[in-house]
Amino acid sequence: MLTLSRWKVTAVILSVIFGIVFSLPNVLPQKMLDALPGWVPHQKLNLGLDLQGGSYLLYEVDTDALRAERLTNMVEDVRTTLRNDQIEFGELGEAGGVVRVRITDPAKVDQAVSLLRRSIGGPLAGAIGGRDTSVSNKGDGRLELTFVPEAAKADAVKAVDQSIETIRRRIDALGTKEPTITKQGSNRIVIQAAGESDPARLQAVIGQTAKLTFQMVDETVSQDDMVAGRIPPGVVVIPSTEPGRPPIPVAKRALVTGEDLVTANQEFDQNGAPAVGFRFGGAGARKFGDATTRNVGKRFAIVLDGKYISDPRINQPLPGGSGIITGNFTPESAAELALLLRSGALPAKLNLEEQRTVGAELGADAVRAGAISLAIGAAAMFVFIILAYGLFGVFAALALVVNVLLIVGIMSMTQATLTFPGIAGLILTLAVAVDANVLIYERMRDEAAAGRSPMSAADTGFRRAMVSIMDANITSLISAAIMFGFGSGPIKGFAWTLSIGVFTSVFTAIIITQVLIGWWFKTARPKKLPIA
């Protein structure tokens, strides 16, 4: 086992080179690092929120508002479906999460039930042939439509998952490095943006739903009608995004939504004012072209989060699926709206529950404290192992140095986030690595005391200590996997550092010390172990 095989020597040399090359950017000044050739690694350790400062935001997804919106859409779907099939109805409305409608012609009740069951809602996820909406006949022509409980739960889970992905795209577009976005509980989202010291900037981009819709303006409703509250069914009055502009009545049901957008960019209109250009793709372009073709000469409202930006008149069909949004924009606000539209709308409103800002000074203090604790811990282990095992302790100390280089190099290469608990994981990793050397060396002592030759005692010590070393590291790896799977934020940082350290510790404690001891035996040809 102590033979200096070529693959072991090669592995040791390559690991040392790897550790040095990928760890070096962390100690070089930025100017010197920028001057190095492009093929040289430039990645530094990605410090977490607790080490470099940044913003912490906790949001709650408003799943109740999402459900209310779906019920409103269901009311309009029922209205449109029954009208298209010329089924007379009345008393259509929603209350308590139930949509109710009365079919006035008793002969068409069964037809209406069958039609609504086919047309309203959609397939229920995970249920073959099941639908997310139930339609029940309560007698006397009265029908009730509700979402099945499974559909409500599926909608809530989907809304949270979609919100996380949308938030990630928005933050990535801002250039914030490696944000940590995790789900907390059933409907909360934790956002940690290291290095982002302006939480208001994050909130402006994250918290806006950015739901874009194109809705026809109902020009039969006058301002007097709106003031008097004479609003026909299927119409809603919405305010403007600009103060002072009057509200307008629009159809509740949108012609086209921003879900079909392919791209959106900040542009300038024909007068040189900032605007937002957009383009639909595929089905969205066809729907937009059909809608503008059918409504030439009429006005439609461009609505963002329940407020209209503008209400232009359709002068000609727009079959290409592209257009431009004008309004009272600045270049910055137009660019921000384009970013929001590109990254997609949030499926539901986000409510800010908690906000914290970690200053850079506090982060610097944490880095300094972590570096000091790591240095003290490493120095104490070096002193102990060298005093206890002499020359073999020096070999173990060298293996520990390579271990640290490998961990830092791997984390720099993969851009894994190092948190303050991660530093604790690094210190624990060094302790575990020393423990492996202690097991090996104590086993060598036992074998030498039993009368074995130095070479035989060393070889047997490595071989018989392997079982204990592997058991200890496998249990550490299992614990790290559990913490990584069920933990969040700093817990994951600790688990990730510990996991990397388990593999590097086994490698350095076994292979590197084995090669160094094998080289010593080959050159010194000792008659006695230095630890016996």
Side-chain angles (χ1 to χ4, degrees), residues 452-483:
R452 290 182 181 271
S453 66
M455 175 65 81
S456 177
D459 187 72
T460 305
F462 269 105
R463 188 157 29 85
R464 293 188 174 178
M466 278 294 295
V467 176
S468 300
I469 293 172
M470 294 308 296
D471 285 347
N473 282 281
I474 288 173
T475 53
S476 295
L477 199 58
I478 292 172
S479 300
I482 293 172
M483 285 188 288

Side-chain angles (χ1 to χ4, degrees), residues 10 17 31 36 86 154 186 201 218 272 316 370 381 478 497 526:
T10 302
I17 293 174
K31 288 185 179 179
L36 292 176
Q86 297 181 344
S186 60
R201 178 170 176 255
D218 191 329
Q316 60 184 14
M381 284 182 278
I478 292 172
T497 309

Side-chain angles (χ1 to χ4, degrees), residues 214 265-270 273-279 288 300 302 310 312 318 322-327 329:
F214 295 80
N265 295 288
Q266 190 263 317
E267 297 179 3
F268 293 93
D269 63 15
Q270 58 186 1
V276 177
F278 64 88
R279 181 168 62 85
F288 188 70
F300 73 100
I302 301 173
S310 59
L318 300 171
S322 61
I324 190 168
I325 302 173
T326 59
F329 293 120

Side-chain angles (χ1 to χ4, degrees), residues 340-391:
L340 293 173
L341 297 180
R342 283 198 307 272
S343 60
L346 290 168
K349 181 183 177 183
L350 296 181
N351 298 320
L352 182 63
E353 298 292 316
E354 184 181 350
Q355 169 189 321
R356 293 204 305 267
T357 302
V358 180
E361 296 79 9
L362 180 59
D365 290 342
V367 172
R368 193 177 305 108
I372 293 173
S373 60
L374 178 60
I376 293 174
M381 284 182 278
F382 289 165
V383 170
F384 164 76
I385 200 76
I386 292 172
L387 290 178
Y389 301 107
L391 180 61

Side-chain angles (χ1 to χ4, degrees), residues 130-154:
R131 295 186 67 80
D132 62 2
T133 308
S134 67
V135 181
S136 56
N137 186 351
K138 297 300 182 180
D140 194 25
R142 299 182 185 277
L143 308 182
E144 290 187 356
L145 295 87
T146 58
F147 289 113
V148 299
E150 294 81 1
K153 292 179 182 178

